[in-house]
């Protein structure tokens, strides 16, 4: 398992904790360590690669057999014998002679492979199982359900099975004897395709490396085109160490995080010629949570005072008056430590729950945000979504899937009420959220709005200011006796009619910036009267500027 904290060095002090970018690789999938060298398969090119994790030095081990390995996805090593999966087959060869020999054929495509003594473990997304075969005879011994819904690769570690899931953006730890999920962690990048453990020679630290493969957009300078700048896509593949910590007592796991500077600044630039006396402008501040720590907050442009609303910190900017044509910049800048988090609760753990606390019910079971909970379409949907389910986790999961079945994602200039959005069948993140809140509350599940922004997913660009294109909202639902659990609004709605991934059901990635839980993110009053009473909106008065700068990669707190 995880060694003692003293064995760990910070990423900048340990040469093994680096991103590995092999030369010439297009799509890395299965991989395994042989001593201090990494052996990996390139799915696209059929290369069996030997990689130096400290220098990226790359050697092709099958220079005369690459055609035979094209499309291979899983890779395992036992002595000098290589095992790999390709299409429906499981093959073996040796390092000295990489000529593949077919061992067995599955009725469905075989994805990942691992070898343990006399057994072979093979994952198959199409079948939904991890198959365990006898290594010598090829006979099936048993099978376990795969933990996620996407393409999965596999490795073994003592009494544990470790599985990476391409779609779920997740690595699972399973009990090897039963296939039971012990815990899972979100990966810092999308599209994980392979994984392998290695104990480095610097600190004795056991490191889990994860491979990623996909494509990335870039601007190409094409001198033969007019205009010469064109949007193109190229292969992107690399291997990165995944740090994690499972907090068994609180049923969650933290994984690779980042030190981030975030700023939210308003530029006063009125569209309407209005004068507002005695203005108080409130902007929610970042929250302290299990996965987000606020190291520092400071004002930008103008000083502010702080107040607390429903347990949430809020910055209050006060102006004697705002006059027509006046210009001003004000806001806040925060230094945050953020990690990915994944809670691991099972339906059995939430049976026989205590009653919902009255203060929670009073705030989060009612229609206090234009949720249209009294309309026929929403009430019928609430009944249909939950059916006869009584377990709170299963019920919330069914409601989420029902909303995903009914909606497709689309952005509009304004947010409609849940009844209108549900009838239309297309919604933004805010409209997904409104429907989820309404259906959950009507089914007795207390829930609240959470947001507000996501850092652009570019963690390899340290020190460069990054600007998100949109704001974003998600939700938390309350489990009596345990507390608030996160759930994304729409990002898991990626497959028409499912099956939907569960990566953000009781989980959030490192790039979510949490603030304004259960309160309005930004409000303005004049002489104590809300801005809308003056027939003017925040958008009529100012332009917001949101900036993230990723400063440093972090390991979970107990590893630092």
């Amino acid at each position: 398992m995880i060694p003692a904290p003293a064995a760990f060095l910070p990423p900048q002090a340990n040469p093994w904790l680096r991103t590995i970018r092999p030369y010439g690789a297009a799509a890395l999938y299965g991989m395994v360590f042989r001593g201090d060298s990494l052996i990996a398969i390139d799915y696209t090119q059929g290369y069996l690669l030997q990689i130096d994790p400290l220098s990226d030095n790359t050697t092709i081990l099958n220079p005369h057999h690459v055609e035979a390995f094209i499309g291979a996805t899983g890779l395992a090593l036992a002595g000098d014998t290589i095992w790999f999966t390709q299409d429906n087959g499981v093959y073996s060869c040796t390092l000295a002679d990489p000529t593949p020999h077919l061992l067995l054929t599955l009725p469905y495509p075989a994805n990942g492979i691992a070898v343990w003594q006399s057994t072979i473990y093979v994952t198959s997304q199409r079948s939904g199982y991890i198959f365990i075969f006898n290594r010598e005879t090829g006979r099936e011994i048993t099978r376990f359900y795969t933990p996620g819904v996407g393409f999965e690769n596999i490795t073994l570690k003592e009494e544990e099975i470790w599985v990476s899931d391409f779609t779920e953006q997740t690595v699972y730890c399973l009990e090897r004897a039963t296939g039971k999920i012990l815990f899972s962690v979100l990966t810092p990048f999308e599209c994980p395709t392979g994984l392998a453990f290695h104990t480095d020679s610097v600190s004795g630290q056991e490191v889990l490396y994860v491979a990623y493969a996909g494509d990335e957009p870039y601007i190409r300078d094409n001198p033969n085109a007019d205009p010469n700048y064109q949007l193109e896509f190229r292969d992107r593949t690399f291997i990165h160490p995944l740090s994690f910590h499972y907090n068994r007592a609180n049923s969650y796991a933290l994984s690779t995080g980042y030190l981030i500077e975030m700023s939210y600044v308003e530029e006063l630039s009125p569209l309407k010629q209005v004068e507002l006396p005695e203005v108080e402008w409130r902007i929610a501040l970042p929250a302290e949570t299990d996965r987000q720590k606020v190291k520092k907050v400071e004002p930008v442009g103008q000083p502010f005072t702080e107040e607390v609303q429903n347990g949430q910190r809020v910055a209050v900017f006060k102006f004697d008056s705002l006059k027509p044509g006046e210009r001003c910049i004000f806001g806040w800048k925060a230094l945050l430590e953020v990690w990915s988090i994944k809670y691991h609760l099972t339906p059995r753990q939430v049976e026989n729950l205590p009653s919902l606390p009255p203060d929670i019910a009073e705030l989060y079971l009612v229609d206090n945000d234009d949720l249209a909970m009294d309309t026929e379409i929403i009430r019928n949907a609430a009944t249909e979504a939950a059916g006869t389910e009584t377990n709170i986790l299963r019920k919330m999961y069914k409601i989420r899937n029902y909303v995903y079945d009914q909606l497709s994602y689309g952005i509009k200039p304004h947010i409609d009420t849940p009844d209108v959005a549900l009838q239309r069948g297309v919604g933004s993140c805010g409209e997904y959220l409104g429907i989820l809140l309404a259906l959950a509350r009507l089914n007795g599940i207390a829930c609240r709005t959470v947001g507000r922004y996501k850092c652009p997913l570019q963690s390899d660009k340290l020190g460069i200011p990054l600007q998100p294109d949109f704001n974003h909202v998600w939700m938390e639902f309350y489990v009596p006796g345990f507390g608030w659990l996160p759930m994304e609004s729409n990002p898991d709605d990626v497959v028409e009619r499912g099956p939907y991934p569960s990566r953000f059901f009781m989980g959030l990635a490192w790039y979510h910036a949490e603030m304004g839980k259960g309160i309005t993110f930004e409000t303005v009053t004049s002489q104590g009267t809300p801005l809308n009473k003056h027939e003017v909106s925040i958008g009529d008065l100012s332009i917001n500027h949101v900036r993230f700068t990723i400063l440093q990669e972090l390991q979970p707190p107990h590893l630092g």
Side-chain angles (χ1 to χ4, degrees), residues 460-500:
D460 54 344
K461 295 183 178 179
L462 299 182
I464 299 175
L466 305 170
Q467 298 179 349
D469 293 318
F470 312 102
N471 65 354
H472 185 61
V473 287
W474 53 97
M475 68 178 285
E476 290 180 335
F477 62 98
Y478 190 83
V479 177
F482 186 83
W484 293 100
L485 294 173
M487 189 182 83
E488 260 288 15
S489 50
N490 65 284
D492 277 338
D493 187 7
V494 295
V495 181
E496 185 68 27
R497 307 296 293 184
Y500 305 109

Side-chain angles (χ1 to χ4, degrees), residues 22-179:
Y23 294 100
L28 297 170
Y29 274 67
M31 61 183 191
V32 65
F33 273 90
R34 186 171 187 255
D36 285 342
S37 293
L38 185 63
I39 310 296
I41 196 76
D42 188 316
Y43 167 87
T44 301
Q45 302 180 108
Y47 295 160
L48 185 62
L49 300 174
Q50 179 173 293
I51 305 160
D52 183 347
L54 299 180
S55 68
D56 298 338
N57 189 29
T58 309
T59 304
I60 297 175
L61 299 178
N62 61 335
H64 306 295
H65 299 79
V66 294
E67 293 290 335
F69 284 78
I70 291 175
T73 54
L75 187 68
L77 180 67
D80 287 331
T81 302
I82 291 283
W83 305 79
F84 69 93
T85 54
Q86 183 187 58
D87 299 326
N88 290 38
V90 175
Y91 298 82
S92 67
C93 63
T94 65
L95 291 171
D97 179 14
T99 303
H101 301 282
L102 180 65
L103 173 65
L104 58 92
T105 302
L106 275 65
Y108 300 102
N111 304 142
I113 185 171
V115 175
W116 180 269
Q117 297 178 352
S118 62
T119 54
I120 298 174
Y121 293 70
V122 180
T123 65
S124 173
Q125 177 191 11
R126 184 74 62 82
S127 70
Y129 289 104
I130 300 172
F131 296 97
I132 297 94
F133 297 101
N134 181 284
R135 175 175 165 179
E136 302 302 326
T137 65
R139 291 185 58 187
E140 182 180 338
I141 300 171
T142 188
R143 64 179 67 178
F144 303 137
Y145 288 112
T146 54
V149 302
F151 168 94
E152 293 181 328
N153 228 313
I154 187 172
T155 192
L156 300 175
K157 176 178 174 288
E158 299 172 353
E159 298 305 312
E160 298 163 348
I161 303 172
W162 289 76
V163 177
S164 64
D165 190 295
F166 184 93
T167 305
E168 300 276 5
Q169 195 181 326
T170 297
V171 168
Y172 299 89
C173 177
L174 281 60
E175 190 175 73
R176 188 164 65 87
T178 64

Side-chain angles (χ1 to χ4, degrees), residues 515-535:
M515 59 199 74
K517 292 171 178 278
I519 65 172
T520 303
F521 173 70
E522 191 169 13
T523 61
V524 180
T525 61
S526 174
Q527 295 181 318
T529 304
L531 197 62
N532 60 0
K533 300 296 184 181
H534 297 268
E535 297 185 351

Side-chain angles (χ1 to χ4, degrees), residues 204-215:
Q205 176 180 347
E206 189 172 49
V207 180
L208 173 59
Y209 290 88
V210 178
Y212 303 87
D215 55 30

